[in-house]
Amino acid sequence: MSGETAEAVEERGPAPDRPGDRGRVRLGDICDVQGGGPAVRAAEQVPEGVPLVRPADLRHQRISAGSAMTFVDPERARGWGKYRLLADDILVTRTGTVGRVALVTGRESGWLYNTHLFRVRVKDPLQAPYLLARLSHHSSRDWLERRAAGTTGMRSITLRTLQDLPVPVPTADRQKEIGAALRAVDEKIRAHEEVVRATADLRETLVDLLLSDRLPLSPPRP
């Protein structure tokens, strides 16, 4: 029986997945973790421009670019180069429901992220899918939540806290297996969400046409 205290187990973080794993490292040791991006007021937003990702845009480990997306002026965005996203970056919510994550894809490369998010950039891009899986696991979210400050609904974590998150490191082959399996599932979720979003948009258009009498209804059958 282990003589390790509950406090020590909690501080150590999630255990390695299986024998042969290479122990744990700090997230900050294998990634560049950057603090929140620019704060943009509603009056500073524009109808079209450079997308600015917010926590509300993170859904099912991806960025959902819906009709409510926020944009900033391209000229102003030039001064925010350090907050530009690259493919395989991972975004982590800093405030509210802390620890929610999303993987940046090639589509979102060059976008910006706002002050309520952290940007995690892996030093080895091949680790990104595995790290996304690890960060989205409840053990990581629980670890961050226990260290969050503030009241319910206004919780937040610091940059140092995220950097100190313990990350079990399996073998390279195991990381690839885990990342590939979960990436396939995440992509299926994303595809289904796109169908739901497109159908919802179609319904809104149909309601508008019907209620404005611009789309005649079929006459009743005799």
Side-chain angles (χ1 to χ4, degrees), residues 155-195:
R155 308 278 282 170
S156 65
I157 56 175
T158 65
L159 177 65
R160 178 61 182 270
T161 297
L162 185 57
Q163 290 172 327
D164 285 344
L165 175 69
V167 179
V169 183
T171 63
D173 287 344
R174 181 62 176 164
Q175 289 184 48
K176 291 178 182 178
E177 291 173 357
I178 294 171
L182 293 177
R183 183 192 289 270
V185 174
D186 288 342
E187 289 304 323
K188 287 184 180 295
I189 293 173
R190 183 186 182 94
H192 283 292
E193 278 210 324
E194 287 298 319
V195 171

mmCIF file of all heavy atoms in Angstrom, residues 155-195:
data_model
loop_
_atom_site.group_PDB
_atom_site.id
_atom_site.type_symbol
_atom_site.label_atom_id
_atom_site.label_comp_id
_atom_site.label_asym_id
_atom_site.label_seq_id
_atom_site.Cartn_x
_atom_site.Cartn_y
_atom_site.Cartn_z
ATOM 1 N N ARG A 155 -14.749 32.438 -12.558
ATOM 2 C CA ARG A 155 -13.503 31.760 -12.233
ATOM 3 C C ARG A 155 -12.428 32.085 -13.272
ATOM 4 O O ARG A 155 -12.725 32.375 -14.437
ATOM 5 C CB ARG A 155 -13.718 30.248 -12.195
ATOM 6 C CG ARG A 155 -14.870 29.795 -11.310
ATOM 7 C CD ARG A 155 -14.466 29.724 -9.869
ATOM 8 N NE ARG A 155 -13.682 28.515 -9.602
ATOM 9 C CZ ARG A 155 -13.043 28.300 -8.467
ATOM 10 N NH1 ARG A 155 -13.056 29.220 -7.523
ATOM 11 N NH2 ARG A 155 -12.366 27.177 -8.280
ATOM 12 N N SER A 156 -11.169 32.010 -12.859
ATOM 13 C CA SER A 156 -10.082 32.257 -13.806
ATOM 14 C C SER A 156 -8.831 31.527 -13.335
ATOM 15 O O SER A 156 -8.678 31.230 -12.141
ATOM 16 C CB SER A 156 -9.793 33.753 -13.939
ATOM 17 O OG SER A 156 -9.306 34.285 -12.721
ATOM 18 N N ILE A 157 -7.951 31.213 -14.272
ATOM 19 C CA ILE A 157 -6.670 30.601 -13.951
ATOM 20 C C ILE A 157 -5.552 31.498 -14.471
ATOM 21 O O ILE A 157 -5.744 32.279 -15.395
ATOM 22 C CB ILE A 157 -6.532 29.183 -14.554
ATOM 23 C CG1 ILE A 157 -6.751 29.210 -16.076
ATOM 24 C CG2 ILE A 157 -7.477 28.207 -13.874
ATOM 25 C CD1 ILE A 157 -6.506 27.874 -16.757
ATOM 26 N N THR A 158 -4.389 31.368 -13.858
ATOM 27 C CA THR A 158 -3.250 32.174 -14.259
ATOM 28 C C THR A 158 -2.410 31.436 -15.292
ATOM 29 O O THR A 158 -2.532 30.219 -15.478
ATOM 30 C CB THR A 158 -2.361 32.505 -13.053
ATOM 31 O OG1 THR A 158 -1.781 31.275 -12.553
ATOM 32 C CG2 THR A 158 -3.171 33.173 -11.944
ATOM 33 N N LEU A 159 -1.554 32.191 -15.948
ATOM 34 C CA LEU A 159 -0.628 31.602 -16.909
ATOM 35 C C LEU A 159 0.265 30.571 -16.214
ATOM 36 O O LEU A 159 0.500 29.485 -16.750
ATOM 37 C CB LEU A 159 0.224 32.703 -17.543
ATOM 38 C CG LEU A 159 1.301 32.262 -18.538
ATOM 39 C CD1 LEU A 159 0.669 31.645 -19.774
ATOM 40 C CD2 LEU A 159 2.178 33.453 -18.924
ATOM 41 N N ARG A 160 0.745 30.884 -15.034
ATOM 42 C CA ARG A 160 1.617 29.973 -14.301
ATOM 43 C C ARG A 160 0.903 28.666 -13.975
ATOM 44 O O ARG A 160 1.503 27.586 -14.060
ATOM 45 C CB ARG A 160 2.111 30.651 -13.014
ATOM 46 C CG ARG A 160 2.998 29.769 -12.141
ATOM 47 C CD ARG A 160 4.263 29.357 -12.878
ATOM 48 N NE ARG A 160 5.094 28.482 -12.055
ATOM 49 C CZ ARG A 160 6.035 28.911 -11.229
ATOM 50 N NH1 ARG A 160 6.250 30.228 -11.086
ATOM 51 N NH2 ARG A 160 6.752 28.063 -10.535
ATOM 52 N N THR A 161 -0.363 28.753 -13.615
ATOM 53 C CA THR A 161 -1.120 27.540 -13.308
ATOM 54 C C THR A 161 -1.179 26.613 -14.510
ATOM 55 O O THR A 161 -0.936 25.409 -14.398
ATOM 56 C CB THR A 161 -2.547 27.895 -12.840
ATOM 57 O OG1 THR A 161 -2.475 28.635 -11.624
ATOM 58 C CG2 THR A 161 -3.382 26.639 -12.615
ATOM 59 N N LEU A 162 -1.484 27.168 -15.680
ATOM 60 C CA LEU A 162 -1.560 26.331 -16.878
ATOM 61 C C LEU A 162 -0.190 25.761 -17.226
ATOM 62 O O LEU A 162 -0.076 24.598 -17.621
ATOM 63 C CB LEU A 162 -2.123 27.139 -18.048
ATOM 64 C CG LEU A 162 -2.380 26.358 -19.340
ATOM 65 C CD1 LEU A 162 -3.331 25.184 -19.099
ATOM 66 C CD2 LEU A 162 -2.924 27.273 -20.428
ATOM 67 N N GLN A 163 0.848 26.546 -17.073
ATOM 68 C CA GLN A 163 2.197 26.056 -17.354
ATOM 69 C C GLN A 163 2.582 24.908 -16.423
ATOM 70 O O GLN A 163 3.329 24.001 -16.808
ATOM 71 C CB GLN A 163 3.206 27.190 -17.215
ATOM 72 C CG GLN A 163 3.118 28.247 -18.305
ATOM 73 C CD GLN A 163 4.000 29.437 -18.024
ATOM 74 O OE1 GLN A 163 4.215 29.820 -16.872
ATOM 75 N NE2 GLN A 163 4.536 30.047 -19.080
ATOM 76 N N ASP A 164 2.077 24.932 -15.191
ATOM 77 C CA ASP A 164 2.427 23.914 -14.195
ATOM 78 C C ASP A 164 1.594 22.646 -14.299
ATOM 79 O O ASP A 164 1.838 21.683 -13.562
ATOM 80 C CB ASP A 164 2.271 24.488 -12.781
ATOM 81 C CG ASP A 164 3.391 25.448 -12.415
ATOM 82 O OD1 ASP A 164 4.429 25.437 -13.102
ATOM 83 O OD2 ASP A 164 3.226 26.207 -11.446
ATOM 84 N N LEU A 165 0.606 22.615 -15.196
ATOM 85 C CA LEU A 165 -0.243 21.432 -15.328
ATOM 86 C C LEU A 165 0.601 20.189 -15.614
ATOM 87 O O LEU A 165 1.367 20.162 -16.583
ATOM 88 C CB LEU A 165 -1.251 21.639 -16.462
ATOM 89 C CG LEU A 165 -2.131 20.432 -16.800
ATOM 90 C CD1 LEU A 165 -3.109 20.149 -15.666
ATOM 91 C CD2 LEU A 165 -2.877 20.656 -18.108
ATOM 92 N N PRO A 166 0.505 19.127 -14.794
ATOM 93 C CA PRO A 166 1.271 17.908 -15.054
ATOM 94 C C PRO A 166 0.690 17.153 -16.250
ATOM 95 O O PRO A 166 -0.525 16.945 -16.336
ATOM 96 C CB PRO A 166 1.108 17.089 -13.767
ATOM 97 C CG PRO A 166 0.519 18.032 -12.758
ATOM 98 C CD PRO A 166 -0.250 19.043 -13.536
ATOM 99 N N VAL A 167 1.538 16.744 -17.170
ATOM 100 C CA VAL A 167 1.104 16.050 -18.382
ATOM 101 C C VAL A 167 1.821 14.709 -18.484
ATOM 102 O O VAL A 167 3.048 14.666 -18.632
ATOM 103 C CB VAL A 167 1.410 16.885 -19.644
ATOM 104 C CG1 VAL A 167 0.977 16.127 -20.902
ATOM 105 C CG2 VAL A 167 0.734 18.245 -19.578
ATOM 106 N N PRO A 168 1.087 13.589 -18.383
ATOM 107 C CA PRO A 168 1.715 12.284 -18.625
ATOM 108 C C PRO A 168 2.173 12.192 -20.083
ATOM 109 O O PRO A 168 1.469 12.654 -20.994
ATOM 110 C CB PRO A 168 0.587 11.287 -18.345
ATOM 111 C CG PRO A 168 -0.388 12.038 -17.500
ATOM 112 C CD PRO A 168 -0.314 13.460 -17.961
ATOM 113 N N VAL A 169 3.335 11.615 -20.315
ATOM 114 C CA VAL A 169 3.896 11.540 -21.663
ATOM 115 C C VAL A 169 4.081 10.074 -22.053
ATOM 116 O O VAL A 169 5.056 9.431 -21.656
ATOM 117 C CB VAL A 169 5.239 12.289 -21.753
ATOM 118 C CG1 VAL A 169 5.764 12.244 -23.188
ATOM 119 C CG2 VAL A 169 5.087 13.728 -21.290
ATOM 120 N N PRO A 170 3.164 9.521 -22.852
ATOM 121 C CA PRO A 170 3.350 8.154 -23.357
ATOM 122 C C PRO A 170 4.469 8.106 -24.395
ATOM 123 O O PRO A 170 5.030 9.135 -24.782
ATOM 124 C CB PRO A 170 1.988 7.831 -23.998
ATOM 125 C CG PRO A 170 1.062 8.911 -23.570
ATOM 126 C CD PRO A 170 1.906 10.107 -23.292
ATOM 127 N N THR A 171 4.744 6.930 -24.883
ATOM 128 C CA THR A 171 5.703 6.786 -25.970
ATOM 129 C C THR A 171 5.178 7.515 -27.209
ATOM 130 O O THR A 171 3.972 7.770 -27.332
ATOM 131 C CB THR A 171 5.917 5.312 -26.312
ATOM 132 O OG1 THR A 171 4.676 4.758 -26.784
ATOM 133 C CG2 THR A 171 6.398 4.529 -25.094
ATOM 134 N N ALA A 172 6.055 7.831 -28.132
ATOM 135 C CA ALA A 172 5.658 8.556 -29.342
ATOM 136 C C ALA A 172 4.610 7.786 -30.129
ATOM 137 O O ALA A 172 3.643 8.368 -30.638
ATOM 138 C CB ALA A 172 6.886 8.837 -30.210
ATOM 139 N N ASP A 173 4.769 6.467 -30.238
ATOM 140 C CA ASP A 173 3.800 5.658 -30.984
ATOM 141 C C ASP A 173 2.432 5.699 -30.325
ATOM 142 O O ASP A 173 1.398 5.791 -31.008
ATOM 143 C CB ASP A 173 4.286 4.217 -31.094
ATOM 144 C CG ASP A 173 5.436 4.056 -32.074
ATOM 145 O OD1 ASP A 173 5.657 4.982 -32.880
ATOM 146 O OD2 ASP A 173 6.117 3.014 -32.029
ATOM 147 N N ARG A 174 2.418 5.632 -28.988
ATOM 148 C CA ARG A 174 1.145 5.668 -28.271
ATOM 149 C C ARG A 174 0.476 7.032 -28.438
ATOM 150 O O ARG A 174 -0.745 7.119 -28.592
ATOM 151 C CB ARG A 174 1.390 5.364 -26.797
ATOM 152 C CG ARG A 174 0.133 5.348 -25.934
ATOM 153 C CD ARG A 174 -0.827 4.271 -26.362
ATOM 154 N NE ARG A 174 -1.973 4.195 -25.470
ATOM 155 C CZ ARG A 174 -3.102 3.563 -25.758
ATOM 156 N NH1 ARG A 174 -3.226 2.949 -26.920
ATOM 157 N NH2 ARG A 174 -4.088 3.538 -24.893
ATOM 158 N N GLN A 175 1.243 8.101 -28.425
ATOM 159 C CA GLN A 175 0.681 9.430 -28.639
ATOM 160 C C GLN A 175 0.002 9.524 -29.998
ATOM 161 O O GLN A 175 -1.085 10.089 -30.128
ATOM 162 C CB GLN A 175 1.779 10.493 -28.538
ATOM 163 C CG GLN A 175 2.316 10.720 -27.142
ATOM 164 C CD GLN A 175 3.321 11.848 -27.094
ATOM 165 O OE1 GLN A 175 3.074 12.924 -27.632
ATOM 166 N NE2 GLN A 175 4.457 11.623 -26.455
ATOM 167 N N LYS A 176 0.639 8.965 -31.018
ATOM 168 C CA LYS A 176 0.061 8.989 -32.361
ATOM 169 C C LYS A 176 -1.244 8.208 -32.408
ATOM 170 O O LYS A 176 -2.221 8.637 -33.033
ATOM 171 C CB LYS A 176 1.057 8.420 -33.370
ATOM 172 C CG LYS A 176 2.283 9.293 -33.603
ATOM 173 C CD LYS A 176 3.249 8.625 -34.581
ATOM 174 C CE LYS A 176 4.502 9.455 -34.781
ATOM 175 N NZ LYS A 176 5.471 8.793 -35.688
ATOM 176 N N GLU A 177 -1.277 7.050 -31.749
ATOM 177 C CA GLU A 177 -2.493 6.226 -31.734
ATOM 178 C C GLU A 177 -3.648 6.975 -31.074
ATOM 179 O O GLU A 177 -4.769 7.011 -31.603
ATOM 180 C CB GLU A 177 -2.230 4.925 -30.973
ATOM 181 C CG GLU A 177 -1.278 3.963 -31.666
ATOM 182 C CD GLU A 177 -0.934 2.765 -30.788
ATOM 183 O OE1 GLU A 177 -1.413 2.745 -29.620
ATOM 184 O OE2 GLU A 177 -0.195 1.885 -31.239
ATOM 185 N N ILE A 178 -3.372 7.566 -29.917
ATOM 186 C CA ILE A 178 -4.419 8.282 -29.186
ATOM 187 C C ILE A 178 -4.900 9.483 -29.994
ATOM 188 O O ILE A 178 -6.105 9.713 -30.162
ATOM 189 C CB ILE A 178 -3.889 8.737 -27.816
ATOM 190 C CG1 ILE A 178 -3.596 7.532 -26.928
ATOM 191 C CG2 ILE A 178 -4.891 9.670 -27.124
ATOM 192 C CD1 ILE A 178 -2.867 7.872 -25.635
ATOM 193 N N GLY A 179 -3.962 10.263 -30.519
ATOM 194 C CA GLY A 179 -4.328 11.458 -31.279
ATOM 195 C C GLY A 179 -5.127 11.140 -32.520
ATOM 196 O O GLY A 179 -6.127 11.806 -32.822
ATOM 197 N N ALA A 180 -4.716 10.095 -33.272
ATOM 198 C CA ALA A 180 -5.410 9.739 -34.508
ATOM 199 C C ALA A 180 -6.825 9.265 -34.231
ATOM 200 O O ALA A 180 -7.777 9.624 -34.942
ATOM 201 C CB ALA A 180 -4.622 8.670 -35.259
ATOM 202 N N ALA A 181 -6.997 8.439 -33.193
ATOM 203 C CA ALA A 181 -8.323 7.906 -32.872
ATOM 204 C C ALA A 181 -9.290 9.020 -32.492
ATOM 205 O O ALA A 181 -10.433 9.066 -32.973
ATOM 206 C CB ALA A 181 -8.216 6.880 -31.743
ATOM 207 N N LEU A 182 -8.843 9.933 -31.655
ATOM 208 C CA LEU A 182 -9.733 10.996 -31.193
ATOM 209 C C LEU A 182 -9.931 12.075 -32.245
ATOM 210 O O LEU A 182 -10.983 12.697 -32.310
ATOM 211 C CB LEU A 182 -9.192 11.593 -29.904
ATOM 212 C CG LEU A 182 -9.227 10.626 -28.713
ATOM 213 C CD1 LEU A 182 -8.617 11.248 -27.481
ATOM 214 C CD2 LEU A 182 -10.649 10.166 -28.422
ATOM 215 N N ARG A 183 -8.928 12.300 -33.104
ATOM 216 C CA ARG A 183 -9.106 13.260 -34.188
ATOM 217 C C ARG A 183 -10.233 12.807 -35.119
ATOM 218 O O ARG A 183 -11.051 13.623 -35.568
ATOM 219 C CB ARG A 183 -7.815 13.423 -34.990
ATOM 220 C CG ARG A 183 -7.912 14.477 -36.093
ATOM 221 C CD ARG A 183 -6.722 14.396 -37.032
ATOM 222 N NE ARG A 183 -5.498 14.845 -36.414
ATOM 223 C CZ ARG A 183 -5.075 16.104 -36.444
ATOM 224 N NH1 ARG A 183 -5.796 17.038 -37.050
ATOM 225 N NH2 ARG A 183 -3.931 16.428 -35.884
ATOM 226 N N ALA A 184 -10.292 11.503 -35.410
ATOM 227 C CA ALA A 184 -11.336 10.981 -36.288
ATOM 228 C C ALA A 184 -12.724 11.208 -35.688
ATOM 229 O O ALA A 184 -13.663 11.607 -36.385
ATOM 230 C CB ALA A 184 -11.109 9.489 -36.541
ATOM 231 N N VAL A 185 -12.851 10.973 -34.369
ATOM 232 C CA VAL A 185 -14.138 11.184 -33.710
ATOM 233 C C VAL A 185 -14.501 12.664 -33.715
ATOM 234 O O VAL A 185 -15.650 13.046 -34.001
ATOM 235 C CB VAL A 185 -14.091 10.648 -32.267
ATOM 236 C CG1 VAL A 185 -15.378 10.999 -31.523
ATOM 237 C CG2 VAL A 185 -13.889 9.140 -32.265
ATOM 238 N N ASP A 186 -13.524 13.530 -33.405
ATOM 239 C CA ASP A 186 -13.788 14.975 -33.386
ATOM 240 C C ASP A 186 -14.231 15.484 -34.751
ATOM 241 O O ASP A 186 -15.107 16.353 -34.853
ATOM 242 C CB ASP A 186 -12.539 15.733 -32.937
ATOM 243 C CG ASP A 186 -12.235 15.552 -31.452
ATOM 244 O OD1 ASP A 186 -13.154 15.140 -30.713
ATOM 245 O OD2 ASP A 186 -11.093 15.819 -31.048
ATOM 246 N N GLU A 187 -13.639 14.952 -35.816
ATOM 247 C CA GLU A 187 -14.021 15.381 -37.158
ATOM 248 C C GLU A 187 -15.444 14.952 -37.499
ATOM 249 O O GLU A 187 -16.178 15.674 -38.182
ATOM 250 C CB GLU A 187 -13.033 14.835 -38.190
ATOM 251 C CG GLU A 187 -11.665 15.498 -38.136
ATOM 252 C CD GLU A 187 -11.732 17.011 -38.295
ATOM 253 O OE1 GLU A 187 -12.567 17.502 -39.084
ATOM 254 O OE2 GLU A 187 -10.971 17.708 -37.604
ATOM 255 N N LYS A 188 -15.856 13.777 -37.029
ATOM 256 C CA LYS A 188 -17.234 13.337 -37.251
ATOM 257 C C LYS A 188 -18.211 14.252 -36.514
ATOM 258 O O LYS A 188 -19.260 14.630 -37.042
ATOM 259 C CB LYS A 188 -17.409 11.889 -36.791
ATOM 260 C CG LYS A 188 -16.763 10.871 -37.722
ATOM 261 C CD LYS A 188 -17.054 9.450 -37.273
ATOM 262 C CE LYS A 188 -16.407 8.446 -38.211
ATOM 263 N NZ LYS A 188 -16.997 8.502 -39.572
ATOM 264 N N ILE A 189 -17.845 14.634 -35.286
ATOM 265 C CA ILE A 189 -18.690 15.555 -34.529
ATOM 266 C C ILE A 189 -18.802 16.880 -35.273
ATOM 267 O O ILE A 189 -19.889 17.458 -35.402
ATOM 268 C CB ILE A 189 -18.115 15.775 -33.120
ATOM 269 C CG1 ILE A 189 -18.207 14.494 -32.296
ATOM 270 C CG2 ILE A 189 -18.840 16.915 -32.405
ATOM 271 C CD1 ILE A 189 -17.504 14.573 -30.953
ATOM 272 N N ARG A 190 -17.678 17.363 -35.771
ATOM 273 C CA ARG A 190 -17.673 18.641 -36.491
ATOM 274 C C ARG A 190 -18.556 18.568 -37.738
ATOM 275 O O ARG A 190 -19.309 19.504 -38.035
ATOM 276 C CB ARG A 190 -16.241 19.013 -36.877
ATOM 277 C CG ARG A 190 -16.121 20.364 -37.567
ATOM 278 C CD ARG A 190 -14.703 20.585 -38.053
ATOM 279 N NE ARG A 190 -14.569 21.883 -38.677
ATOM 280 C CZ ARG A 190 -14.159 22.974 -38.054
ATOM 281 N NH1 ARG A 190 -13.837 22.918 -36.780
ATOM 282 N NH2 ARG A 190 -14.061 24.125 -38.680
ATOM 283 N N ALA A 191 -18.470 17.458 -38.478
ATOM 284 C CA ALA A 191 -19.280 17.308 -39.689
ATOM 285 C C ALA A 191 -20.763 17.330 -39.353
ATOM 286 O O ALA A 191 -21.567 17.977 -40.052
ATOM 287 C CB ALA A 191 -18.900 16.016 -40.401
ATOM 288 N N HIS A 192 -21.156 16.634 -38.293
ATOM 289 C CA HIS A 192 -22.565 16.619 -37.898
ATOM 290 C C HIS A 192 -23.005 18.012 -37.452
ATOM 291 O O HIS A 192 -24.138 18.431 -37.742
ATOM 292 C CB HIS A 192 -22.787 15.604 -36.773
ATOM 293 C CG HIS A 192 -22.820 14.178 -37.245
ATOM 294 N ND1 HIS A 192 -23.834 13.679 -38.023
ATOM 295 C CD2 HIS A 192 -21.952 13.152 -37.053
ATOM 296 C CE1 HIS A 192 -23.602 12.403 -38.293
ATOM 297 N NE2 HIS A 192 -22.464 12.055 -37.722
ATOM 298 N N GLU A 193 -22.132 18.728 -36.765
ATOM 299 C CA GLU A 193 -22.480 20.086 -36.336
ATOM 300 C C GLU A 193 -22.698 21.006 -37.530
ATOM 301 O O GLU A 193 -23.577 21.869 -37.514
ATOM 302 C CB GLU A 193 -21.386 20.653 -35.436
ATOM 303 C CG GLU A 193 -21.478 20.200 -33.999
ATOM 304 C CD GLU A 193 -20.935 21.262 -33.059
ATOM 305 O OE1 GLU A 193 -19.957 21.928 -33.428
ATOM 306 O OE2 GLU A 193 -21.510 21.409 -31.974
ATOM 307 N N GLU A 194 -21.889 20.834 -38.566
ATOM 308 C CA GLU A 194 -22.043 21.658 -39.764
ATOM 309 C C GLU A 194 -23.390 21.407 -40.421
ATOM 310 O O GLU A 194 -24.043 22.330 -40.921
ATOM 311 C CB GLU A 194 -20.897 21.384 -40.741
ATOM 312 C CG GLU A 194 -19.562 21.962 -40.304
ATOM 313 C CD GLU A 194 -19.594 23.473 -40.198
ATOM 314 O OE1 GLU A 194 -20.193 24.122 -41.065
ATOM 315 O OE2 GLU A 194 -19.040 24.003 -39.225
ATOM 316 N N VAL A 195 -23.825 20.142 -40.438
ATOM 317 C CA VAL A 195 -25.136 19.809 -41.006
ATOM 318 C C VAL A 195 -26.244 20.465 -40.183
ATOM 319 O O VAL A 195 -27.188 21.060 -40.732
ATOM 320 C CB VAL A 195 -25.327 18.286 -41.051
ATOM 321 C CG1 VAL A 195 -26.767 17.936 -41.430
ATOM 322 C CG2 VAL A 195 -24.359 17.650 -42.043
#
